[in-house]
Amino acid sequence: RAGAPEVDAPERLARALARAVERDGGEVLLRSSVRRISVESGRATGVVLENGQRVAAPVVVSNADLRQTVLELVGPEHFSARFRRPLARLAPSISAFVTYLATDLDLARLGASHETFVYPGFDHEAAFEATLAGRPGWWTATVPTLADPTLAPAGTHLMTLTTLLPYAAQRDWRAEKSARVDAMIEAADSRF
């Protein structure tokens, strides 16, 4: 896309975290989805990646929600019925769908501000109903480099595009993610 430079964006926090993990003997794997958390004798012992690779670990931390961690990653058979009963009554909340990008467009000249909310109209109830149906028409653009240009190389802006979507909006998020990202970028392109 026009206006999308290849830059080494300021990933200082992520890089510092990765260096700390590696310094302490860990390994950072990028684009490595976890299929399962391995359990032996009632203890997490590592993870199995989507590609089948097994990674042993003395501690496993899941950033998935409780239901997904227990029911999909670990497996309900590893938990007591007493623990699972209240879990079954939980309903997933609405989720944020976020797209991160960098651009060399002059966003200030194009009307962007640090935080821009874009709605298709004034009926917020209808916008929320469309969101719940998996068809969000509204979104936000956050451009931190308009507040602090030192966060990116000169002439580059960082942008975060966010909307809300129910988790069940897609049957297969891995397969649909790219189309959702493209839709968010197209929305921002038409606005700016």
Side-chain angles (χ1 to χ4, degrees), residues 60-124:
V60 174
V61 177
S62 173
N63 72 337
D65 64 53
L66 182 61
R67 286 176 51 103
Q68 185 178 17
T69 298
V70 170
L71 301 176
E72 297 175 30
L73 295 174
V74 176
E77 67 276 10
H78 295 288
F79 297 88
S80 69
R82 183 175 180 215
F83 182 84
R84 291 191 319 258
R85 266 192 299 278
L87 182 63
R89 292 189 301 266
L90 295 176
S93 64
I94 192 117
S95 300
F97 186 85
V98 184
T99 302
Y100 301 93
L101 55 106
T103 181
D104 62 1
L105 294 173
D106 184 352
L107 293 176
R109 185 182 60 76
L110 295 172
S113 61
H114 173 261
E115 190 80 39
T116 303
F117 291 79
V118 179
Y119 282 90
F122 293 102
D123 188 345
H124 294 289

Side-chain angles (χ1 to χ4, degrees), residues 30-45:
L30 302 177
R31 302 187 190 281
S32 301
S33 298
V34 172
R35 179 189 314 156
R36 196 108 175 114
I37 295 174
S38 302
V39 177
E40 294 175 18
S41 302
R43 289 186 48 95
T45 58

Side-chain angles (χ1 to χ4, degrees), residues 1-5 97-105 107 110 118 136 138-141 158-163 176-192:
R1 297 234 155 95
F97 186 85
V98 184
T99 302
Y100 301 93
L101 55 106
T103 181
D104 62 1
L105 294 173
L107 293 176
L110 295 172
V118 179
W138 68 273
W139 51 277
T140 66
L158 303 178
M159 183 182 287
T160 304
L161 305 174
T162 306
T163 193
E176 299 296 327
K177 179 180 174 184
S178 182
R180 291 282 182 173
V181 167
D182 288 346
M184 293 292 291
I185 292 172
E186 288 173 20
D189 188 46
S190 68
R191 169 64 174 83
F192 297 114

